[in-house]
Amino acid sequence: VQVVESGGGLVQAGGSLRLSCAASGRTFSDFAMGWFRQAPGKEREFVATINWNGGRTDYADSVKGRFTISRDNAKNTVYLQMNSLKPEDTAVYYCAAGGPSHGSSLPTLYGYWGQGTQVTVSS
């Protein structure tokens, strides 16, 4: 499975960005997708997950109410809409594929990862 993220960039605090992640090589609707992030000097952390059909989502407390994960199985793509961005959201954001069908916050349960996309939020 190939996983490719796009959509990162530099934005001012309070602004918005939408990340996209395209997965190929397996039936996309077979598995959950997730977003994780890693800031400099910190461990990779869970951001959001979505189950195989988009009917179940889960978020880290730090992004609840600001970020929205969604998926389009016809386009083999998952999205992360990020609103009200804060400087502490600055990180490399990674898309993960191959998770258990109900979704998960555990990175070890995902078999495929993208290369990451940088999100920088200036104050």
Side-chain angles (χ1 to χ4, degrees):
V1 175
Q2 291 186 323
V3 180
V4 180
E5 305 100 333
S6 60
L10 173 64
V11 64
Q12 288 188 332
S16 299
L17 281 175
R18 188 175 82 155
L19 305 183
S20 298
C21 170
S24 61
R26 271 185 57 184
T27 303
F28 184 71
S29 58
D30 279 350
F31 45 76
M33 300 289 292
W35 286 98
F36 295 78
R37 67 186 182 186
Q38 188 167 17
K42 295 186 177 182
E43 294 190 354
R44 191 170 298 189
E45 64 175 3
F46 166 72
V47 175
T49 185
I50 188 165
N51 78 327
W52 69 278
N53 67 354
R56 177 187 176 275
T57 59
D58 192 21
Y59 299 90
D61 288 344
S62 58
V63 306
K64 278 181 182 176
R66 300 188 299 122
F67 290 11
T68 302
I69 188 171
S70 61
R71 67 189 293 162
D72 185 339
N73 286 351
K75 296 182 178 179
N76 290 357
T77 301
V78 65
Y79 305 96
L80 186 68
Q81 178 66 43
M82 305 185 294
N83 298 329
S84 303
L85 282 161
K86 304 175 181 180
E88 51 263 45
D89 294 318
T90 295
V92 177
Y93 282 70
Y94 295 91
C95 178
S101 60
H102 59 276
S104 176
S105 62
L106 299 177
T108 54
L109 296 185
Y110 292 84
Y112 311 98
W113 293 81
Q115 79 288 351
T117 185
Q118 177 70 46
V119 171
T120 303
V121 184
S122 62
S123 57

